[in-house]
Amino acid sequence: MKEERFYTIKQTAELTGITEDTIRYYEKIALLPRAERKDNGHRIYREEDIHTIRLIPCLKKTGMPLEQMRPFLAISADTDPAEYPELVELLRSHRDNMVSQINSLQQVVDFIDMKLEEGRYRRDCSGETQDNLLEQKVRQVRPKPISPVEMIYFSESAKTGNYLPQQNKS
């Protein structure tokens, strides 16, 4: 049988990447249960506590507010999700929101990429050999899909996919 290991708050902070003050704060606002104490009053943490504390930054990275984390932190890591269908649904909903945010951010990245490529082509058009290189680059660039709403922000050349500057026909 494996002997249970206990950790000080300093060790817990090192293992979780969360400062001692933040751990105390999470206990103060009851996001985490009050830590067990030694006879001298110092906090001690178990392995399960470490796993629970590590979950907080994971959920924070998803944009989940601390208040919404409470039910997830209250159940143990080895709990069967089927026992908590309301939490599963909450997590699915949160995931759907994140996917929507990712898609929205990807459209912004696509827009920026297109503008950067458009600007690069304008600077590269000074000579005959660069024109050939430019045409090769344009063939390699495959614009990513942009929603019709985002298209209103694009210049005419971006809308038509014509990134090459107009050549003088004189």
Side-chain angles (χ1 to χ4, degrees), residues 34 36-44:
R34 191 174 192 282
E36 292 183 43
R37 307 284 175 138
K38 291 183 184 178
D39 291 338
N40 62 6
H42 292 170
R43 291 171 169 84
I44 55 171

Side-chain angles (χ1 to χ4, degrees), residues 14-113:
E14 289 171 359
L15 288 169
T16 63
I18 296 177
T19 66
E20 295 174 42
D21 288 338
T22 303
I23 294 171
R24 287 186 196 99
Y25 172 72
Y26 289 157
E27 287 179 23
K28 181 180 177 181
I29 65 169
L31 188 63
L32 294 172
R34 191 174 192 282
E36 292 183 43
R37 307 284 175 138
K38 291 183 184 178
D39 291 338
N40 62 6
H42 292 170
R43 291 171 169 84
I44 55 171
Y45 298 89
R46 301 172 189 273
E47 195 67 38
E48 185 174 331
D49 299 323
I50 303 293
H51 293 299
T52 301
I53 294 169
R54 283 182 176 153
L55 181 57
I56 295 172
C58 291
L59 294 173
K60 280 179 77 173
K61 285 179 185 177
T62 71
M64 185 178 286
L66 293 178
E67 197 56 42
Q68 285 183 6
M69 292 180 198
R70 287 183 195 283
F72 298 103
L73 299 172
I75 61 175
S76 68
D78 58 354
T79 301
D80 180 6
E83 294 179 31
Y84 297 92
E86 67 282 356
L87 291 183
V88 171
E89 185 53 39
L90 232 151
L91 208 50
R92 279 193 180 121
S93 174
H94 188 68
R95 182 194 180 282
D96 290 344
N97 289 338
M98 288 175 24
V99 168
S100 177
Q101 290 174 355
I102 289 168
N103 289 337
S104 181
L105 286 172
Q106 186 60 54
Q107 288 179 342
V108 173
V109 169
D110 293 346
F111 172 78
I112 291 169
D113 287 348

